[in-house]
DNA sequence: GTATGATTTAAACGTTTGTTTTAATCGGGT
DNA sequence: ACCCGATTAAAACAAACGTTTAAATCATAC
């Protein structure tokens, strides 16, 4: 093979454009031009534009969800051994920290974070079905764990608050671009660890709020 | 004029499709078919597809922001007369309640809420610039009011938390469709007033969280 | 070296897109 | 009754889209 990484180059270029411009506005021609491959390579290697999107999602989401699930199970095991109940903040952290870590410069997954943020914002989009299939087991486990850490709240209340927390998270996943109104004296480039804590302060308080 | 409401019918149909499918996937042909007008009517009355989007946004956003700003100014006047500081929850309410009220069945603005939710999720989209121009004055005023009600927090902290709160809000604006995983025993159709309170419980606690 | 399967290439495919054009039709003022 | 600007209608426009085709090229095994 003269260029053994054709598929990878397509995946990277597609990830880049899908994240920046969205799925529909991105043409296969712009992807293949950026990837320096022939136009037909997409259909040859992936079958269709939609299958390409699926491949882009799966390449990063599967490893990410394994990390998330691993951390969550580890936390649950640890607290159960100690006869304790997991803290809401720590449950959330197992989900949030691996996510925001991908925003690190040079993590080569920066685009993916923005892409997921966009997917979460397109309720009936092509990507949502693909995405949700890969998220459902983890989501159910996370919901269980949160119910364990917040036994005083009804499932109804819990559901909405998880919803809100995910809304917040998906919002900042989209926003390494500053498309919102940023006051002059606010620095938007905070280290990832700080951002995780800033977010967990907010989300944990929201989850634990008295009615 | 045989059909004096051609423009309005186009606006409604466009709002419907833009909200459901997004801006790019929606064709002018599907809009004009639904509106029962000729294809050329869009370009005749609005100039272009993008200008149509702008008109769709402005038709509802301007009145909405007037209500929001009116309630906010009223609150600030009232508390100032009483020599008090506005409560964070009430500041947020002036923004959130008029928004979620549009989700009411039969408010004829249900589609618009979902559309705004989508716009907020497309950082570099055509709609974002249009949208932000109309939001900036209100956003600045809201940020001022929140700083007043939460004097103990730095502008940096405040900024991020406003960001999170808006993320939560935009998320539920998109989700009168149930695209997320809903447990069987959770009823997603809560009255608007209840949803406002459920949201304000979460967001206020998040805004006021101790670090 | 030659045959073989995998990959790349260039070109064309048929649709669909937003927009423009040109003619037909309408409604109110003189 | 007639005219005129505003609106509607049908048709065509060029451009861009995802996909397919068929030939050329490559790497590898015999």
């Amino acid at each position: 093979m003269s260029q053994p990484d054709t598929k990878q180059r397509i995946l990277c270029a597609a990830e880049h454009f899908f994240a920046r411009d969205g799925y529909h506005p991105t043409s296969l021609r712009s992807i293949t031009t950026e990837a320096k491959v022939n136009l037909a390579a997409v259909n040859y290697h992936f079958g269709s534009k939609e299958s390409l999107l699926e491949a882009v999602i799966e390449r990063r989401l599967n490893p990410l969800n394994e990390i998330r699930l691993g951390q969550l199970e580890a936390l649950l095991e640890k607290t159960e051994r100690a006869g304790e109940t997991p803290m809401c903040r720590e449950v959330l952290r197992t989900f949030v920290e691996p996510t925001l870590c991908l925003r690190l410069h040079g993590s080569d997954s920066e685009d993916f974070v923005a892409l997921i943020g966009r997917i979460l914002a397109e309720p009936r989009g092509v990507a949502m079905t693909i995405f949700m299939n890969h998220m459902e087991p983890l989501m159910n486990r996370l919901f269980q764990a949160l119910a364990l850490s917040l036994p005083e709240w009804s499932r109804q209340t819990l559901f909405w608050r998880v919803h809100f927390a995910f809304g917040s998270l998906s919002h900042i996943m989209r926003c390494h671009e500053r498309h919102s109104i940023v006051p002059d004296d606010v620095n938007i480039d905070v280290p990832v660890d700080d951002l995780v804590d800033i977010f967990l302060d907010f989300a944990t308080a929201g989850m634990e709020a008295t009615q």
Side-chain angles (χ1 to χ4, degrees), chain A:
Chain A
M1 284 181 278
S2 62
Q3 292 174 326
D5 50 353
T6 299
K7 289 182 74 167
Q8 292 300 319
R9 290 225 309 286
I10 292 174
L11 286 170
C12 287
E15 186 176 65
H16 177 208
F17 280 106
F18 287 164
R20 203 193 61 180
D21 303 328
Y23 174 74
H24 279 103
T26 298
S27 70
L28 292 183
R29 282 166 177 84
S30 52
I31 292 174
T32 52
T33 301
E34 162 131 329
K36 295 194 175 67
V37 300
N38 189 271
L39 170 63
V42 168
N43 288 279
Y44 177 77
H45 285 288
F46 297 95
S48 69
K49 187 184 179 185
E50 194 166 327
S51 299
L52 170 61
L53 173 63
E54 189 163 351
V56 167
I57 293 172
E58 287 176 349
R59 179 173 65 143
R60 305 239 191 253
L61 188 59
N62 289 340
L64 174 61
N65 277 351
E66 276 181 32
I67 294 175
R68 285 164 164 168
L69 193 59
Q71 293 195 8
L72 179 59
E73 298 295 358
L75 173 67
L76 290 174
E77 269 185 42
K78 199 187 75 178
T79 53
E80 197 180 4
R81 262 202 312 275
E84 292 168 358
T85 246
M87 288 179 60
C88 171
R89 186 183 184 98
E90 299 311 312
V91 174
L92 289 178
R93 188 193 294 278
T94 64
F95 192 92
V96 171
E97 192 171 44
T99 311
L100 292 182
C101 277
L102 297 185
R103 276 187 27 154
L104 271 171
H105 298 295
S107 79
D108 88 332
S109 297
E110 304 162 59
D111 286 336
F112 177 69
V113 178
L115 175 59
I116 294 302
R118 297 191 71 121
I119 290 173
L120 285 167
E122 292 193 21
R124 302 167 63 106
V126 267
M128 184 52 95
T129 317
I130 300 168
F131 179 76
M132 273 302 162
N133 289 339
H134 292 267
M135 291 303 294
E136 188 151 10
L138 177 59
M139 294 288 284
N140 287 333
R141 198 84 183 91
L142 187 76
F143 195 76
Q144 275 180 13
L146 285 171
L148 206 64
S149 72
L150 298 168
E152 62 265 44
W153 304 129
S154 69
R155 288 174 64 82
Q156 175 95 10
T157 300
L158 215 53
F159 166 80
W160 280 108
R161 293 187 177 183
V162 170
H163 221 44
F164 298 149
F166 274 72
S168 303
L169 181 60
S170 76
H171 198 231
I172 55 174
M173 287 174 76
R174 270 174 256 124
C175 302
H176 52 65
E177 308 278 340
R178 60 183 63 200
H179 73 269
S180 73
I181 293 134
V182 183
D184 296 334
D185 54 344
V186 169
N187 177 22
I188 208 175
D189 288 319
V190 302
V192 174
D193 287 343
D194 292 352
L195 185 57
V196 172
D197 281 323
I198 294 173
F199 177 79
L200 288 179
D201 287 339
F202 178 90
T204 307
M207 293 293 302
E208 294 174 342
T210 53
Q211 281 170 307

